[in-house]
Amino acid sequence: MRGNRRTVSAAAVLELQSRPAVELPAPPALVARVGEPTPVQDEWRSWIGWSTSWQPQTQQDAVRGDWVIDPDTVKRAGRLVVLVAGFVAAAYAVTDVDLQYWDELANRRRARFLVEDDEDAAGPFTGRRWQLPPGWAVAVIDAKGGQAGSAA
């Protein structure tokens, strides 16, 4: 058998199942779907993905970049919402663009953001479910509730 099994209590499954969905139209945000913790060799972070066992700064660094996205659009939205398996794991205020560059391999522009904890930014998303369309890794929700996404 391949992979690893994870067990979850029936009570935890029922609690997750009962969480409400994010109310639409949602506030403006960069919504990013992330996966399991994966070590990386970046100068500015050691991990990508998400783990509840990490320190807050490690969690922020793991999700704040390097996204294939228009940084100005994200800066205007002002929020980064992190999804794990369709559930909101965290929501941060985007305070600035840390770095943007042209990725020669992907032939696309990438951006990394400065983020911070902000209860007001997180409020509409905390404890909720949110599904991105199939194949999308990120979506930017604009002020009118519209969304544009990317599979990268």
Side-chain angles (χ1 to χ4, degrees), residues 8-152:
V8 179
S9 71
V13 170
L14 291 172
E15 189 277 325
L16 289 171
Q17 184 180 31
S18 70
R19 287 187 180 182
V22 170
E23 292 183 30
L24 299 176
L30 164 62
V31 183
R33 180 176 23 216
V34 300
E36 292 190 37
T38 304
V40 294
Q41 302 281 322
D42 295 338
E43 291 179 18
W44 59 280
R45 64 180 173 185
S46 300
W47 296 91
I48 59 172
W50 188 262
S51 175
T52 57
S53 66
W54 290 340
Q55 294 295 316
Q57 187 60 52
T58 303
Q59 290 174 331
Q60 287 180 6
D61 286 344
V63 300
R64 66 185 185 90
D66 291 344
W67 298 108
V68 176
I69 203 85
D70 174 45
D72 295 329
T73 303
V74 174
K75 207 170 157 196
R76 278 192 306 274
R79 291 180 183 88
L80 167 62
V81 177
V82 181
L83 302 181
V84 176
F87 296 94
V88 176
Y92 301 107
V94 174
T95 59
D96 207 349
V97 177
D98 184 25
L99 177 72
Q100 55 181 310
Y101 62 95
W102 187 257
D103 182 337
E104 295 290 334
L105 261 89
N107 201 29
R108 295 178 170 178
R109 185 166 59 157
R110 292 187 177 270
R112 179 182 317 151
F113 302 95
L114 296 175
V115 299
E116 64 184 24
D117 288 322
D118 182 328
E119 288 183 23
D120 291 334
F125 306 101
T126 303
R128 298 191 177 263
R129 295 178 290 113
W130 198 347
Q131 290 294 326
L132 290 179
W136 286 18
V138 297
V140 177
I141 309 304
D142 65 21
K144 298 174 186 145
Q147 64 184 18
S150 170

